[in-house]
Amino acid sequence: ATTRTVVWQKLRYNMLWGTIIFMVGDYGAQLLTHFKLKRSTDFYVDDNRFVISSVLGAIWAGYANPSVYATVEFLLPGGGPSNFRRVLLKMCITCSILSTAGNYVTMIFRRFFKQFLETDSSVTQIGMDCVQSCNRDFVPVLKDDLKIWPLY
């Protein structure tokens, strides 16, 4: 097999598993939220949210995350217990990219497509609303993410 074929197969595999992981995660989150809030005895899946999460899983977990990790590994090969400083540097780079730019982009993606699917607003208005709400909400999200990212 050519290198291009191998890369394409790995990408498809990553995207498939990213989709599955985000689908299961979103379903579980909706289920837990439902029972925690005790809305009613009837549980239903928010289809729009489920689809958005699935697509985001393919793109984010299937393509973006592996690409960031592979690029950092390409630029800074090696590591392990014998080179703790290199591992720490890699962690800081991936954390800064995925926790900042990544979280911001995924927040906009989710909000944009949720509004796009559920309202009649113009694409421009939806985009402006999403950027404004993400700018407002981003710092608390980043703070929460930084509490757990180093453990990941």
Side-chain angles (χ1 to χ4, degrees), residues 33-47:
T33 301
H34 171 78
F35 287 109
K36 183 177 179 183
L37 297 177
K38 296 181 180 155
R39 291 183 179 156
S40 70
T41 55
D42 296 331
F43 171 70
Y44 72 95
V45 174
D46 179 341
D47 294 335

PDB file of all heavy atoms in Angstrom, residues 33-47:
ATOM      1  N   THR A  33     -27.938  14.329  32.322  1.00  0.00           N
ATOM      2  CA  THR A  33     -28.577  15.629  32.545  1.00  0.00           C
ATOM      3  C   THR A  33     -30.069  15.457  32.763  1.00  0.00           C
ATOM      4  O   THR A  33     -30.661  16.076  33.650  1.00  0.00           O
ATOM      5  CB  THR A  33     -28.322  16.567  31.350  1.00  0.00           C
ATOM      6  OG1 THR A  33     -26.915  16.732  31.190  1.00  0.00           O
ATOM      7  CG2 THR A  33     -28.968  17.918  31.563  1.00  0.00           C
ATOM      8  N   HIS A  34     -30.681  14.608  31.971  1.00  0.00           N
ATOM      9  CA  HIS A  34     -32.118  14.364  32.099  1.00  0.00           C
ATOM     10  C   HIS A  34     -32.473  13.875  33.506  1.00  0.00           C
ATOM     11  O   HIS A  34     -33.374  14.396  34.154  1.00  0.00           O
ATOM     12  CB  HIS A  34     -32.572  13.340  31.056  1.00  0.00           C
ATOM     13  CG  HIS A  34     -33.973  12.867  31.257  1.00  0.00           C
ATOM     14  ND1 HIS A  34     -35.065  13.608  30.888  1.00  0.00           N
ATOM     15  CD2 HIS A  34     -34.458  11.729  31.818  1.00  0.00           C
ATOM     16  CE1 HIS A  34     -36.157  12.950  31.196  1.00  0.00           C
ATOM     17  NE2 HIS A  34     -35.825  11.808  31.759  1.00  0.00           N
ATOM     18  N   PHE A  35     -31.757  12.870  33.974  1.00  0.00           N
ATOM     19  CA  PHE A  35     -32.085  12.298  35.271  1.00  0.00           C
ATOM     20  C   PHE A  35     -31.636  13.188  36.425  1.00  0.00           C
ATOM     21  O   PHE A  35     -32.260  13.199  37.478  1.00  0.00           O
ATOM     22  CB  PHE A  35     -31.531  10.889  35.412  1.00  0.00           C
ATOM     23  CG  PHE A  35     -32.309   9.909  34.584  1.00  0.00           C
ATOM     24  CD1 PHE A  35     -31.752   9.341  33.451  1.00  0.00           C
ATOM     25  CD2 PHE A  35     -33.613   9.590  34.916  1.00  0.00           C
ATOM     26  CE1 PHE A  35     -32.483   8.453  32.670  1.00  0.00           C
ATOM     27  CE2 PHE A  35     -34.352   8.696  34.151  1.00  0.00           C
ATOM     28  CZ  PHE A  35     -33.782   8.136  33.024  1.00  0.00           C
ATOM     29  N   LYS A  36     -30.579  13.939  36.244  1.00  0.00           N
ATOM     30  CA  LYS A  36     -30.138  14.856  37.291  1.00  0.00           C
ATOM     31  C   LYS A  36     -31.162  15.973  37.480  1.00  0.00           C
ATOM     32  O   LYS A  36     -31.464  16.370  38.590  1.00  0.00           O
ATOM     33  CB  LYS A  36     -28.776  15.452  36.945  1.00  0.00           C
ATOM     34  CG  LYS A  36     -28.241  16.347  38.034  1.00  0.00           C
ATOM     35  CD  LYS A  36     -26.858  16.866  37.678  1.00  0.00           C
ATOM     36  CE  LYS A  36     -26.368  17.780  38.795  1.00  0.00           C
ATOM     37  NZ  LYS A  36     -25.083  18.367  38.504  1.00  0.00           N
ATOM     38  N   LEU A  37     -31.704  16.475  36.373  1.00  0.00           N
ATOM     39  CA  LEU A  37     -32.690  17.548  36.455  1.00  0.00           C
ATOM     40  C   LEU A  37     -34.095  17.022  36.703  1.00  0.00           C
ATOM     41  O   LEU A  37     -35.017  17.793  36.967  1.00  0.00           O
ATOM     42  CB  LEU A  37     -32.672  18.382  35.165  1.00  0.00           C
ATOM     43  CG  LEU A  37     -31.364  19.104  34.869  1.00  0.00           C
ATOM     44  CD1 LEU A  37     -31.459  19.823  33.529  1.00  0.00           C
ATOM     45  CD2 LEU A  37     -31.012  20.079  35.972  1.00  0.00           C
ATOM     46  N   LYS A  38     -34.281  15.708  36.575  1.00  0.00           N
ATOM     47  CA  LYS A  38     -35.580  15.065  36.792  1.00  0.00           C
ATOM     48  C   LYS A  38     -36.687  15.777  36.028  1.00  0.00           C
ATOM     49  O   LYS A  38     -37.726  16.129  36.579  1.00  0.00           O
ATOM     50  CB  LYS A  38     -35.897  14.987  38.282  1.00  0.00           C
ATOM     51  CG  LYS A  38     -34.924  14.120  39.025  1.00  0.00           C
ATOM     52  CD  LYS A  38     -35.252  14.038  40.485  1.00  0.00           C
ATOM     53  CE  LYS A  38     -34.197  13.144  41.125  1.00  0.00           C
ATOM     54  NZ  LYS A  38     -33.976  13.372  42.490  1.00  0.00           N
ATOM     55  N   ARG A  39     -36.429  15.980  34.755  1.00  0.00           N
ATOM     56  CA  ARG A  39     -37.393  16.703  33.924  1.00  0.00           C
ATOM     57  C   ARG A  39     -38.727  15.968  33.834  1.00  0.00           C
ATOM     58  O   ARG A  39     -39.770  16.531  34.036  1.00  0.00           O
ATOM     59  CB  ARG A  39     -36.824  16.911  32.526  1.00  0.00           C
ATOM     60  CG  ARG A  39     -35.680  17.873  32.516  1.00  0.00           C
ATOM     61  CD  ARG A  39     -35.206  18.101  31.120  1.00  0.00           C
ATOM     62  NE  ARG A  39     -34.100  19.054  31.133  1.00  0.00           N
ATOM     63  CZ  ARG A  39     -33.199  19.131  30.222  1.00  0.00           C
ATOM     64  NH1 ARG A  39     -33.231  18.338  29.175  1.00  0.00           N
ATOM     65  NH2 ARG A  39     -32.234  20.017  30.308  1.00  0.00           N
ATOM     66  N   SER A  40     -38.668  14.722  33.449  1.00  0.00           N
ATOM     67  CA  SER A  40     -39.863  13.893  33.363  1.00  0.00           C
ATOM     68  C   SER A  40     -39.404  12.448  33.278  1.00  0.00           C
ATOM     69  O   SER A  40     -38.220  12.169  33.255  1.00  0.00           O
ATOM     70  CB  SER A  40     -40.692  14.265  32.118  1.00  0.00           C
ATOM     71  OG  SER A  40     -40.011  13.862  30.953  1.00  0.00           O
ATOM     72  N   THR A  41     -40.350  11.555  33.211  1.00  0.00           N
ATOM     73  CA  THR A  41     -39.975  10.151  33.094  1.00  0.00           C
ATOM     74  C   THR A  41     -39.613   9.787  31.664  1.00  0.00           C
ATOM     75  O   THR A  41     -38.939   8.803  31.435  1.00  0.00           O
ATOM     76  CB  THR A  41     -41.122   9.243  33.573  1.00  0.00           C
ATOM     77  OG1 THR A  41     -42.304   9.570  32.845  1.00  0.00           O
ATOM     78  CG2 THR A  41     -41.346   9.423  35.057  1.00  0.00           C
ATOM     79  N   ASP A  42     -40.063  10.580  30.707  1.00  0.00           N
ATOM     80  CA  ASP A  42     -39.762  10.305  29.301  1.00  0.00           C
ATOM     81  C   ASP A  42     -38.433  10.936  28.911  1.00  0.00           C
ATOM     82  O   ASP A  42     -38.225  12.131  29.083  1.00  0.00           O
ATOM     83  CB  ASP A  42     -40.862  10.862  28.391  1.00  0.00           C
ATOM     84  CG  ASP A  42     -42.202  10.189  28.633  1.00  0.00           C
ATOM     85  OD1 ASP A  42     -42.195   9.012  29.040  1.00  0.00           O
ATOM     86  OD2 ASP A  42     -43.235  10.848  28.417  1.00  0.00           O
ATOM     87  N   PHE A  43     -37.561  10.110  28.400  1.00  0.00           N
ATOM     88  CA  PHE A  43     -36.259  10.603  27.936  1.00  0.00           C
ATOM     89  C   PHE A  43     -36.251  10.610  26.419  1.00  0.00           C
ATOM     90  O   PHE A  43     -36.682   9.652  25.781  1.00  0.00           O
ATOM     91  CB  PHE A  43     -35.130   9.711  28.460  1.00  0.00           C
ATOM     92  CG  PHE A  43     -33.798  10.027  27.847  1.00  0.00           C
ATOM     93  CD1 PHE A  43     -33.144  11.203  28.165  1.00  0.00           C
ATOM     94  CD2 PHE A  43     -33.216   9.157  26.938  1.00  0.00           C
ATOM     95  CE1 PHE A  43     -31.917  11.507  27.596  1.00  0.00           C
ATOM     96  CE2 PHE A  43     -31.992   9.447  26.377  1.00  0.00           C
ATOM     97  CZ  PHE A  43     -31.346  10.629  26.702  1.00  0.00           C
ATOM     98  N   TYR A  44     -35.790  11.671  25.846  1.00  0.00           N
ATOM     99  CA  TYR A  44     -35.622  11.727  24.401  1.00  0.00           C
ATOM    100  C   TYR A  44     -34.275  12.369  24.102  1.00  0.00           C
ATOM    101  O   TYR A  44     -33.758  13.170  24.873  1.00  0.00           O
ATOM    102  CB  TYR A  44     -36.751  12.518  23.728  1.00  0.00           C
ATOM    103  CG  TYR A  44     -36.677  13.994  23.951  1.00  0.00           C
ATOM    104  CD1 TYR A  44     -36.057  14.820  23.024  1.00  0.00           C
ATOM    105  CD2 TYR A  44     -37.207  14.569  25.098  1.00  0.00           C
ATOM    106  CE1 TYR A  44     -35.959  16.186  23.245  1.00  0.00           C
ATOM    107  CE2 TYR A  44     -37.118  15.931  25.331  1.00  0.00           C
ATOM    108  CZ  TYR A  44     -36.491  16.735  24.386  1.00  0.00           C
ATOM    109  OH  TYR A  44     -36.389  18.078  24.610  1.00  0.00           O
ATOM    110  N   VAL A  45     -33.712  11.982  22.995  1.00  0.00           N
ATOM    111  CA  VAL A  45     -32.418  12.503  22.563  1.00  0.00           C
ATOM    112  C   VAL A  45     -32.654  13.764  21.744  1.00  0.00           C
ATOM    113  O   VAL A  45     -33.502  13.782  20.853  1.00  0.00           O
ATOM    114  CB  VAL A  45     -31.660  11.451  21.722  1.00  0.00           C
ATOM    115  CG1 VAL A  45     -30.382  12.023  21.143  1.00  0.00           C
ATOM    116  CG2 VAL A  45     -31.365  10.219  22.561  1.00  0.00           C
ATOM    117  N   ASP A  46     -31.888  14.807  22.054  1.00  0.00           N
ATOM    118  CA  ASP A  46     -31.886  16.026  21.245  1.00  0.00           C
ATOM    119  C   ASP A  46     -31.126  15.686  19.966  1.00  0.00           C
ATOM    120  O   ASP A  46     -29.897  15.626  19.956  1.00  0.00           O
ATOM    121  CB  ASP A  46     -31.219  17.160  22.016  1.00  0.00           C
ATOM    122  CG  ASP A  46     -31.160  18.459  21.244  1.00  0.00           C
ATOM    123  OD1 ASP A  46     -31.302  18.443  20.003  1.00  0.00           O
ATOM    124  OD2 ASP A  46     -30.952  19.505  21.883  1.00  0.00           O
ATOM    125  N   ASP A  47     -31.873  15.415  18.892  1.00  0.00           N
ATOM    126  CA  ASP A  47     -31.262  14.945  17.650  1.00  0.00           C
ATOM    127  C   ASP A  47     -30.243  15.913  17.081  1.00  0.00           C
ATOM    128  O   ASP A  47     -29.181  15.494  16.604  1.00  0.00           O
ATOM    129  CB  ASP A  47     -32.337  14.656  16.596  1.00  0.00           C
ATOM    130  CG  ASP A  47     -33.231  13.495  16.975  1.00  0.00           C
ATOM    131  OD1 ASP A  47     -32.781  12.624  17.750  1.00  0.00           O
ATOM    132  OD2 ASP A  47     -34.381  13.459  16.504  1.00  0.00           O
TER     133      ASP A  47
END
